[in-house]
Amino acid sequence: MTANLTTQPTYAEQEETASLNFSARFQSSKALQQKSHTIIPGGAHTYAKGDDQYPENAPGFITKGKGCRVWDVDGNEFIEYGMGLRAVTLGHAYEPVIEAVSQQILLGSNFTRPARIELDCAEELLELIDGAEMVKFAKDGSTVTGAAIKLSRAYTGRDKVAICADHPFFSSEDWFIGSTPISSGIPQVTRDLTVKFRYNDLDSVKTLFEQYPDQIACVILEPVKVDDPVDNFLHEVQRLCRDNGAIFILDEMITGFRLHNGGGQKYYNIVPDLSAFGKGLGNGFAVSALVGKREIMDLGGINHERERVFLLSTTHGAETHALAAAIATMQVYKTEGVIEFLHRQGEKLTEGIDQAIAHYQLQDYFEVIGKPCNLVYATRDEQKQPSQAYRTLFLQETIARGFIMPSLVVSYSHTDEVIEQTVNAIAGALSVYKQALENGIEGYLIGRPVKPVFRPFC
């Protein structure tokens, strides 16, 4: 159902179709949604993919994807942004990756002893990441960030963890979820072990070390979320960690394989003690990695005299086909200009959307933010306050025009033509957004608003 936008329509033409009816039909999706909630808590296995994150008139289930396009169970075609929660950086069913996986899986996926490909993949990754001397693979980000916390506690003999309050997600494990509004089921004693600081606020980090002297095992944050570090923030946090005997950890789930081949740490010229990678590492296949300095990582090994750490020991952590996907993905990054392409397409997308925002005089109401390779958008209401209702309206109108757009995160498959189509569709959606601001959103929004994931009650 992707709109036919092979020619560039004027904004006036977009306004004529601003009340575009939903041509997609979601009968099969609606039926499956009812069934899914009876057998799957939340109806999905990832909260960010849940029904409460999308308008009521939205595709419920995807059947296949190719490049940046996906098809739902009703046969509707969409251009996708976000790409598997930022995990699919090259594109769905990207042929070099699929070919490597196909060849490897014919040889078996899991054995009683390590497979040679585990060493091959480890060497491939460590070659990319400056200062990383050892690596352990797992299947998801939560597992490896949790392992980083455990290592830090073992290495320092301390319990408290300092996390960046401006970065929305680090792990599904108790050490992080206990710090969120959805902390039910997590003991208070565990919640009390996690403390928070603010990004680009060095004083907030200093305050934690002063408030909890010799108690903080580690500091964990993403290299960047929206705004670049100012006043050498990352390096100054690292210095505070060294001065206070804490481990400095970078969560590279999102920045890895987007900002630079060597991650956000290479982009900002900093070498952390530990860092965690995933998502783009395997172009959507389940593989993640904890990398870091040997003196810390080796606590999880068997050739030292210190007390051992049960670091990572997952049955499926080194499935051979997932590691084949990772190797193939990294090789594409090494031989093609993936990073440069992501930045370039993000810049084009931002420029086009900003022109539409200016045309409709929505500068205070809709905003594109973030690095070009990792764009998101902000939606605001009549009072210029963050609004879930207007986010829902924007999602609703972009879905109507053939786009699934929880973010504006591009992939290697978002061509110039796709970017042009995207800008046209967003211009049409923003024309409706403008009318809703002027006339009241009630006449434009279909169904209930979306909700934040981190909320204490349904």
Side-chain angles (χ1 to χ4, degrees):
M1 65 165 278
T2 303
N4 182 11
L5 296 170
T6 55
T7 59
Q8 176 79 26
T10 65
Y11 288 132
E13 290 171 332
Q14 287 287 357
E15 290 179 18
E16 290 178 5
T17 60
S19 60
L20 181 68
N21 292 324
F22 288 92
S23 59
R25 294 185 296 274
F26 302 119
Q27 293 94 329
S28 296
S29 275
K30 294 302 180 186
L32 289 175
Q33 284 173 316
Q34 291 181 10
K35 182 178 182 180
S36 69
H37 284 276
T38 66
I39 59 176
I40 301 171
H45 296 287
T46 309
Y47 281 117
K49 298 182 181 182
D51 293 336
D52 58 349
Q53 302 302 295
Y54 290 88
E56 291 186 9
N57 284 56
F61 294 86
I62 304 300
T63 58
K64 65 177 180 178
K66 182 66 177 177
C68 64
R69 287 175 164 80
V70 295
W71 289 260
D72 71 1
V73 292
D74 291 285
N76 303 304
E77 178 185 347
F78 298 90
I79 291 174
E80 184 181 61
Y81 280 81
M83 302 292 289
L85 307 182
R86 297 177 174 85
V88 184
T89 54
L90 299 177
H92 298 297
Y94 194 75
E95 289 188 8
V97 177
I98 295 301
E99 178 64 23
V101 171
S102 299
Q103 291 182 6
Q104 182 62 52
I105 204 166
L106 292 175
L107 304 176
S109 63
N110 210 334
F111 312 110
T112 305
R113 297 298 317 275
R116 169 59 192 268
I117 197 171
E118 297 179 37
L119 182 59
D120 295 339
C121 192
E123 291 177 332
E124 193 86 28
L125 180 58
L126 293 178
E127 183 181 307
L128 285 176
I129 311 303
D130 289 350
E133 298 171 307
M134 302 187 82
V135 56
K136 285 278 279 188
F137 292 116
K139 304 305 286 184
D140 60 78
S142 294
T143 304
V144 290
T145 54
I149 300 304
K150 184 190 297 183
L151 265 183
S152 299
R153 285 171 165 163
Y155 187 82
T156 64
R158 302 171 179 179
D159 295 334
K160 287 193 180 294
V161 174
I163 68 173
C164 183
D166 300 298
H167 298 162
F169 189 81
F170 289 105
S171 177
S172 62
E173 295 184 358
D174 288 0
W175 65 268
F176 170 70
I177 296 299
S179 71
T180 75
I182 189 168
S183 58
S184 178
I186 299 173
Q188 187 63 48
V189 65
T190 300
R191 302 183 202 182
D192 293 341
L193 294 177
T194 299
V195 294
K196 296 184 178 182
F197 63 93
R198 305 308 300 259
Y199 193 79
N200 275 336
D201 182 353
L202 192 63
D203 285 341
S204 69
V205 185
K206 292 178 180 177
T207 297
L208 289 182
F209 280 117
E210 292 169 357
Q211 187 175 356
Y212 304 104
D214 301 322
Q215 297 178 56
I216 296 176
C218 59
V219 171
I220 183 170
L221 72 163
E222 297 180 51
V224 65
K225 194 68 180 177
V226 175
D227 298 319
D228 282 311
V230 297
D231 297 329
N232 224 23
F233 178 72
L234 293 177
H235 294 80
E236 286 300 305
V237 172
Q238 184 181 52
R239 179 184 61 78
L240 284 174
C241 287
R242 288 174 177 168
D243 291 347
N244 291 275
I247 303 300
F248 180 66
I249 306 170
L250 288 180
D251 178 349
E252 293 260 26
M253 288 300 140
I254 293 173
T255 51
F257 300 96
R258 284 200 178 276
L259 280 179
H260 192 283
N261 281 2
Q265 54 198 271
K266 182 68 171 181
Y267 186 84
Y268 292 115
N269 191 30
I270 189 168
V271 178
D273 298 313
L274 300 171
S275 53
F277 288 83
K279 292 190 183 290
L281 174 58
N283 194 46
F285 282 88
V287 57
S288 61
L290 173 66
V291 303
K293 295 180 178 178
R294 185 180 310 278
E295 63 181 298
I296 305 172
M297 293 285 292
D298 203 37
L299 291 182
I302 58 175
N303 294 316
H304 60 83
E305 296 180 355
R306 292 188 60 176
E307 185 175 1
R308 289 182 62 200
V309 176
F310 195 85
L311 181 54
L312 284 170
S313 183
T314 56
T315 299
H316 303 289
E319 284 180 323
T320 59
H321 64 278
L323 298 183
I327 292 172
T329 299
M330 287 186 281
Q331 288 175 347
V332 171
Y333 271 80
K334 287 180 178 180
T335 58
E336 302 184 28
V338 177
I339 294 292
E340 294 78 8
F341 182 88
L342 297 180
H343 283 270
R344 185 168 62 250
Q345 298 307 86
E347 289 170 353
K348 292 177 182 176
L349 185 59
T350 301
E351 180 181 359
I353 297 172
D354 282 347
Q355 290 176 0
I357 291 171
H359 176 81
Y360 291 111
Q361 298 180 320
L362 292 172
Q363 290 91 336
D364 294 328
Y365 304 96
F366 188 89
E367 183 182 10
V368 179
I369 56 180
K371 306 292 286 184
C373 61
N374 186 44
L375 296 171
V376 294
Y377 54 85
T379 54
R380 303 186 182 97
D381 61 17
E382 297 85 349
Q383 286 73 46
K384 303 178 183 180
Q385 296 301 308
S387 171
Q388 292 290 92
Y390 275 93
R391 176 178 173 82
T392 311
L393 179 65
F394 180 76
L395 285 166
Q396 169 188 295
E397 293 301 314
T398 49
I399 287 169
R401 290 159 173 79
F403 291 78
I404 302 177
M405 195 175 287
S407 71
L408 296 168
V409 177
V410 298
S411 77
Y412 198 44
S413 296
H414 285 81
T415 62
D416 287 347
E417 180 183 2
V418 168
I419 297 298
E420 181 179 323
Q421 292 177 357
T422 304
V423 171
N424 293 340
I426 289 177
L430 291 181
S431 70
V432 179
Y433 198 112
K434 175 74 169 180
Q435 294 177 56
L437 286 170
E438 293 174 344
N439 304 320
I441 195 171
E442 297 80 9
Y444 298 88
L445 186 61
I446 300 173
R448 46 88 186 125
V450 299
K451 299 179 180 179
V453 168
F454 291 113
R455 60 185 194 273
F457 298 99
C458 291

